[in-house]
Amino acid sequence: MSATLPRPATAPELAVLRHPDRRTAWVVLACAELAAPTTVGAVADRLAALAAASPIVAARLRGTTWVPGRPPPVDRVDWDPFAGPGPVPAALAARFDLAAAAPVRVALTADGRRLAVAAHHAALDGLGVAAVVAALAGGEGAGRQPGASPPASGGPTGAQHG
């Protein structure tokens, strides 16, 4: 994945955006339980660093071109993604307006122990979201960009279509 924006959306990204089934919001969601509590500020700092290395996490879509944007806020949510079935907070589940907001949303639970990342599938697939979670968690995978090749040792990485 190119770290340079603006760039045209790829054919697979456009296929998702133009898919005729409008019943889906095309959201990829991943959650992680952290080894130690963290703060919104620490996650926001990691998100800013990730956006500098992989600008798609902060991009906006203008027509069919991804352009630079500001990283999304880190929302504090009163939700336990591991407590069983239940509604996903609107901060994560709402439809994306890719012209107005980043294709990634980040939430941290009130206790700072659980991190959730939602992304529009046109920008990131499941492996890309896993790489974002790893980078924001500050653990294994931190600093790796979505789209990077898997390391020889394995671990979470991103993937890119196209």
Side-chain angles (χ1 to χ4, degrees):
M1 174 181 303
S2 171
T4 304
L5 294 180
R7 72 161 175 81
T10 65
E13 292 167 348
L14 291 173
V16 167
L17 293 167
R18 294 176 178 158
H19 193 279
D21 184 357
R22 296 295 175 205
R23 294 172 292 177
T24 182
W26 295 100
V27 175
V28 181
L29 177 66
C31 304
E33 186 151 15
L34 307 176
T38 191
T39 65
V40 166
V43 175
D45 288 347
R46 291 183 198 117
L47 182 57
L50 181 62
S54 186
I56 193 70
V57 301
R60 305 301 187 269
L61 191 62
R62 300 285 186 258
T64 60
T65 301
W66 292 107
V67 298
R70 296 180 57 120
V74 177
D75 292 310
R76 177 75 72 167
V77 294
D78 185 20
W79 175 61
D80 183 353
F82 301 108
V88 175
L92 295 168
R95 283 192 175 273
F96 282 88
D97 178 353
L98 297 176
V104 172
R105 296 184 183 129
V106 180
L108 185 66
T109 57
D111 64 2
R113 291 190 149 292
R114 291 167 197 85
L115 177 71
V117 174
H120 192 287
H121 191 49
L124 294 172
D125 65 7
L127 291 174
V129 172
V132 170
V133 168
L136 298 182
E140 169 62 25
R144 243 184 260 139
Q145 296 181 36
S149 296
S153 63
T157 63
Q160 183 207 344
H161 298 288

